Amino acid sequence: MDYEGFFSDSIEQLKAEGNYRVFAELERHVGDFPHATRHAGEDTNEITVWCSNDYLGMGQHSDVLNAMKDTVDLVGAGSGGTRNISGTTHQHVVLERELSDLHQKEAALLFTSGYVANDAALSTLAGNMPGCVLLSDEFNHASMIAGVRHSGAEKRIFKHNDVEDLERLLADIEPGRPKIIVFESVYSMDGDISPIGEICDLADKYGAMTYIDEVHAVGMYGPRGGGVAERDGHMDRITVVQGTLAKAFGVVGGYIAASQKLVDFVRSRASGFIFTTSLPPAVAAAAAASVRHVRDNGQEQRARHQERAATLKRLLADAGLPVMPSVSHIVPIMVGDPVLCKQVTDDLMDRYGIYVQPINYPTVPKGTERLRLTPSPIHSDEDMGQLVAALTEIWGRLELKWAA
């Protein structure tokens, strides 16, 4: 077999479809978020970032930076091993305590990323309970799909946010079998929010566990930043909360929070936890500082964040741009074609110094390609005005479809 030829043909097919991904090489500047320097070969230019998941700008907060730098000076760079073999540092334990407190759960468990947390936790839970059935929302993240698949357990997919379809599936399962309902709070490509209370009602009725992915909500919703489940008063009804430290908290890593026994079960059996080196202690210390700040002092940031998102949606709609319905901080704009979607983002970057990454298949279904804007509390009215003006010009020039 011509291996190199196979790889080359596959890449050329992606390019022809408009689905080949090009990475933007960025250099962020402390204290100047959301602005950054873009490197393109030997050339550089200044840009404004409109698609970062550092939703609150905590990746540059002084508390976070000082915690990271102080910890490096105190204990060095790496953790030195897996959690079982010399890699459980004091900083890891402190961070897990902060996370369990954030979600008002008995315990929390750190993973190297949110993806690994979902894959490891779901595959471990469902794969070790005889006869377990996983009921998964059709729009769940790839990491949740991987965990469902890797569990080897029976799966049933319910229509997105459709509690009637979920109940139909639950009613068809033998009452004594273990069941886990797997869903997200904020769906990051559409910006919609799941009916958490209704899902919990069904879990109570049919004796199911609930597993919620709050990665796009932790830090940003609820009086303490515990997520949408906290905001809506359902946090105590959730069996497992999964979250990330890489978005609103501005660092890196993932976690679950649940009962002490459930966390101990995953800790003792999950290969994705057992057989990997733990996060550097400086990362754990920085994440703990971020969690403390966002939990205890972040209400003003959360309010500003929601105001910025609402303002941007209004400005885009007033300009006639096809903003998709969203009840969260995610602001998607429909394009519907992968080649045109990339053309829009290329023009934004090259002509206007505005960075938005095109969202194409397989992240979203074919025919629903879009821009995904993530305003932060730090984006100014001037930033928004420049973005809306640039999009309006590009939409007209490329003769794209305006809002109905």
Side-chain angles (χ1 to χ4, degrees):
M1 179 176 176
D2 178 6
Y3 297 109
E4 292 298 309
F6 171 80
F7 302 142
S8 178
D9 290 345
S10 178
I11 293 299
E12 289 306 314
Q13 181 178 350
L14 285 174
K15 290 180 178 179
E17 294 171 348
N19 292 321
Y20 181 72
R21 301 185 178 199
V22 178
F23 297 159
E25 182 182 345
L26 307 180
E27 184 177 359
R28 307 205 316 170
H29 306 298
V30 173
D32 195 30
F33 182 80
H35 306 115
T37 300
R38 174 203 182 197
H39 292 258
E42 297 300 317
D43 298 326
T44 62
N45 64 295
E46 300 308 302
I47 61 152
T48 302
V49 180
W50 272 102
C51 55
S52 174
N53 285 337
D54 187 359
Y55 292 131
L56 301 178
M58 289 301 296
Q60 302 187 33
H61 194 281
S62 58
D63 289 356
V64 177
L65 302 184
N66 289 335
M68 182 173 283
K69 290 184 285 189
D70 290 347
T71 306
V72 166
D73 290 339
L74 184 67
V75 303
S79 69
T82 65
R83 288 292 296 273
N84 184 52
I85 305 176
S86 83
T88 294
T89 70
H90 177 63
Q91 288 76 20
H92 294 97
V93 175
V94 168
L95 175 54
E96 287 173 338
R97 288 174 184 162
E98 297 288 359
L99 292 168
S100 63
D101 177 81
L102 175 69
H103 294 289
Q104 296 296 283
K105 299 294 185 185
E106 293 177 350
L109 189 67
L110 281 172
F111 294 85
T112 50
S113 73
Y115 190 107
V116 173
N118 270 334
D119 189 2
L122 283 169
S123 61
T124 300
L125 289 168
N128 287 280
M129 286 191 288
C132 185
V133 182
L134 288 156
L135 300 106
S136 180
D137 188 290
E138 65 175 333
F139 283 7
N140 277 342
H141 189 264
S143 59
M144 305 174 84
I145 294 170
V148 169
R149 181 184 300 117
H150 293 156
S151 73
E154 182 180 339
K155 66 178 180 183
R156 303 193 185 183
I157 310 301
F158 62 92
K159 296 175 185 177
H160 177 54
N161 281 349
D162 190 330
V163 290
E164 292 183 1
D165 193 45
L166 174 58
E167 180 162 25
R168 179 183 62 81
L169 295 173
L170 283 164
D172 193 46
I173 300 171
E174 298 90 327
R177 295 183 67 180
K179 298 169 283 289
I180 308 175
I181 304 172
V182 183
F183 62 108
E184 301 181 41
S185 59
V186 176
Y187 286 84
S188 64
M189 292 302 140
D190 293 314
D192 56 338
I193 291 177
S194 61
I196 298 174
E198 294 175 76
I199 290 174
C200 289
D201 289 343
L202 290 178
D204 293 342
K205 181 177 178 179
Y206 291 95
M209 294 170 57
T210 49
Y211 183 107
I212 190 170
D213 177 312
E214 289 255 38
V215 298
H216 291 278
V218 289
M220 295 174 292
Y221 295 88
R224 300 167 75 248
V228 178
E230 183 191 34
R231 183 198 71 177
D232 294 350
H234 302 303
M235 198 158 60
D236 62 327
R237 306 179 69 191
I238 299 294
T239 311
V240 183
V241 178
Q242 184 268 341
T244 184
L245 301 164
K247 294 181 171 59
F249 297 125
V251 193
V252 71
Y255 64 89
I256 62 169
S259 70
Q260 180 65 54
K261 290 181 180 178
L262 188 151
V263 167
D264 200 18
F265 179 86
V266 174
R267 182 190 71 86
S268 301
R269 292 181 176 270
S271 295
F273 173 81
I274 296 170
F275 295 106
T276 190
T277 300
S278 61
L279 290 169
V283 169
S290 184
V291 171
R292 280 192 292 269
H293 174 85
V294 170
R295 181 192 63 205
D296 300 336
N297 304 296
Q299 196 60 7
E300 184 176 340
Q301 283 174 289
R302 284 187 280 276
R304 171 73 173 172
H305 189 223
Q306 291 298 313
E307 180 275 322
R308 293 284 79 189
T311 297
L312 180 60
K313 291 175 191 176
R314 176 178 53 80
L315 293 172
L316 293 167
D318 289 348
L321 292 157
V323 184
M324 298 170 63
S326 167
V327 295
S328 71
H329 59 283
I330 306 294
V331 185
I333 303 176
M334 179 58 67
V335 178
D337 179 273
V339 176
L340 289 173
C341 195
K342 188 174 187 307
Q343 182 64 58
V344 171
T345 58
D346 285 349
D347 284 0
L348 282 171
M349 182 76 97
D350 296 335
R351 294 170 180 252
Y352 295 99
I354 293 172
Y355 173 45
V356 180
Q357 190 70 13
I359 304 297
N360 292 344
Y361 178 83
T363 305
V364 294
K366 292 181 179 179
T368 68
E369 293 81 6
R370 68 199 64 177
L371 311 183
R372 174 183 175 272
L373 307 175
T374 55
S376 75
I378 312 169
H379 282 92
S380 67
D381 288 342
E382 182 182 2
D383 293 329
M384 290 191 181
Q386 292 170 349
L387 172 65
V388 173
L391 286 171
T392 301
E393 185 279 323
I394 293 169
W395 237 255
R397 175 165 45 81
L398 297 182
E399 298 182 344
L400 299 177
K401 185 177 179 179
W402 297 86

